Amino acid sequence: MSTVLHKQNYAQRRQAGSAATSEQTTLIGGLRFDWLLSLLSLVFVGGLYLDGWAHNHDKTDTSFFTIWHAFFYSGYLLIALVLVATLWVNHRRGATWAMALPVGYSLSLLGLLIFAVGGVGDMLWHEIFGVEQDFDALFSPTHLILGIGQALIVTGPLRAAWSRLDQRLSWRMAGPALLSLGTLISVLTFFMMAAHPLASNSAGAAHNFSSMVGEVAGVMSQLVTTTLFIGPLLLAVRRWQLPVGSLILVWGMNTVAMAVINWHHSYTLWQMLAMLGAVVVAEGLRLRLEPLMNNTAALRVFAALAPMLLVGSYFIALLATEGTSWSIHLWTGTVVECAIAGWLLSYLVVPPAVPLAEPDLE
């Protein structure tokens, strides 16, 4: 029912757009616009990771005005310029203010405003309370506001693709949506990098997290990362039949980014390569089970096996490099729990069918 209403709303938007362009004018939008915004979003999130790398490697000082912040906020300004200019030009060409942005980008405009508020607040926060360090920086209120705004901004191309009627996508059609999905996951994992195995490495032998509290935190971190990875992806594979290599792009770019942002040891390379290998295997599994959007059983199998491959590959690489202070019972059980978490998430994406009420026989 919701899909039918969504298609009807999209058709109404297209009709309204056609009426607005009756005077031989063309509104800015479409696939080229999606490509532009997705690439700018990639630069924007790249700036976020560059700033995070600087914090993790003691390259920052007590000032807000750093080269890392300059790169980060330049990405924001580029996207803001494109969206505001598009809004203005399309309005001048006859579209109402409510219809002037391409479908899917209204929330991106809201994200710009939220991010601006967070940016001003972040500058004041740094000047009053100083620059956050380590774990504190991820939970600073102004940083979280920036994260919310950024997530809304970068998902514009994803929402635009979702509003179209296509189900089987070529790379030309899927590229912006996949980059948007990848940047969204990367924003989420950035603010939860303390839970990402490549960034925190909480199960590593050198980290001395063998106490019960440390082990519980480590297991929970693996479950959090599984949720951030598999949840958004399940929505995509449920909505579209994606081209070959889609998972490698979405998960691969995040795996590399999370390894680089906290790169302190040579063995990080081998752990990253192991996880990338698992991503390739998971992509093969996805293609084998296609189309997942029409096969509930296949979707549930994929949702369980994909995180098992990813987390399992990390622990295998960990054992071969740094080693782990966790017992075999704990780390193998963590792999299984991540598979269970992915399987349960599939029930949120595709819930079981609700039985129809039996007819009244009286």
Side-chain angles (χ1 to χ4, degrees):
M1 181 64 179
S2 60
T3 303
V4 174
L5 292 176
H6 185 75
K7 292 180 178 179
Q8 290 175 347
N9 291 336
Y10 177 67
Q12 292 171 358
R13 292 289 300 269
R14 292 191 63 181
Q15 290 173 1
S18 299
T21 57
S22 59
E23 299 179 0
Q24 297 182 352
T25 58
T26 302
L27 299 184
I28 299 174
L31 191 59
R32 290 184 178 179
F33 186 82
D34 294 345
W35 272 106
L36 174 62
L37 265 295
S38 63
L39 292 174
L40 289 178
S41 296
L42 194 61
V43 173
F44 187 23
V45 175
L48 174 68
Y49 273 73
L50 181 62
D51 186 52
W53 175 87
H55 278 273
N56 287 346
H57 292 82
D58 298 323
K59 302 294 184 180
T60 59
D61 52 32
T62 58
S63 172
F64 174 83
F65 300 98
T66 65
I67 187 174
W68 323 111
H69 278 182
F71 189 93
F72 178 42
Y73 286 101
S74 294
Y76 165 79
L77 290 175
L78 286 173
I79 295 177
L81 178 63
V82 171
L83 283 180
V84 172
T86 299
L87 179 72
W88 176 256
V89 170
N90 283 349
H91 178 67
R92 291 292 299 270
R93 291 179 178 180
T96 64
W97 284 114
M99 308 295 292
L101 279 178
V103 176
Y105 290 94
S106 295
L107 284 178
S108 293
L109 184 62
L110 176 61
L112 288 176
L113 299 176
I114 293 174
F115 191 90
V117 172
V120 174
D122 192 40
M123 180 177 64
L124 296 175
W125 189 276
H126 285 187
E127 295 299 324
I128 297 172
F129 300 107
V131 178
E132 310 90 336
Q133 298 295 330
D134 301 324
F135 193 67
D136 293 352
L138 300 176
F139 286 87
S140 165
T142 54
H143 284 182
L144 293 177
I145 293 173
L146 290 172
I148 293 171
Q150 189 170 30
L152 289 174
I153 292 169
V154 302
T155 46
L158 181 63
R159 288 188 297 270
W162 193 284
S163 67
R164 300 186 182 109
L165 302 180
D166 309 272
Q167 288 189 325
R168 186 181 183 92
L169 300 181
S170 64
W171 261 110
R172 177 175 173 272
M173 297 291 294
L178 292 173
L179 286 174
S180 180
L181 181 65
T183 51
L184 169 64
I185 292 175
S186 294
V187 170
L188 297 175
T189 56
F190 178 90
F191 285 95
M192 292 302 299
M193 72 171 69
H196 197 286
L198 290 177
S200 66
N201 207 24
S202 58
H207 288 69
N208 196 28
F209 288 158
S210 58
S211 66
M212 179 176 293
V213 174
E215 290 174 348
V216 170
V219 172
M220 292 299 104
S221 70
Q222 298 285 352
L223 292 173
V224 168
T225 302
T226 294
T227 302
L228 297 180
F229 261 52
I230 199 69
L233 182 71
L234 287 180
L235 285 175
V237 298
R238 181 72 176 98
R239 171 65 176 84
W240 297 293
Q241 189 168 349
L242 298 170
V244 176
S246 297
L247 185 58
I248 295 174
L249 173 64
V250 174
W251 278 4
M253 64 185 286
N254 181 268
T255 299
V256 173
M258 293 306 299
V260 170
I261 198 172
N262 204 35
W263 194 293
H264 288 293
H265 305 283
S266 60
Y267 54 70
T268 303
L269 172 65
W270 301 109
Q271 295 168 4
M272 180 189 74
L273 291 176
M275 294 183 73
L276 288 175
V279 172
V280 173
V281 175
E283 172 68 354
L285 176 66
R286 180 186 73 85
L287 296 173
R288 178 70 175 174
L289 297 175
E290 283 281 23
L292 297 178
M293 59 183 181
N294 296 323
N295 190 335
T296 301
L299 184 75
R300 305 211 193 287
V301 170
F302 173 79
L305 292 184
M308 176 181 284
L309 289 167
L310 202 63
V311 178
S313 68
Y314 162 73
F315 276 108
I316 290 173
L318 187 65
L319 290 171
T321 53
E322 177 186 355
T324 180
S325 57
W326 290 12
S327 69
I328 188 173
H329 317 290
L330 183 59
W331 73 260
T332 55
T334 300
V335 174
V336 174
E337 284 197 3
C338 289
I340 294 173
W343 174 69
L344 291 174
L345 280 173
S346 73
Y347 281 88
L348 294 178
V349 177
V350 186
V354 178
L356 300 175
E358 295 183 4
D360 189 353
L361 301 179
E362 296 182 0

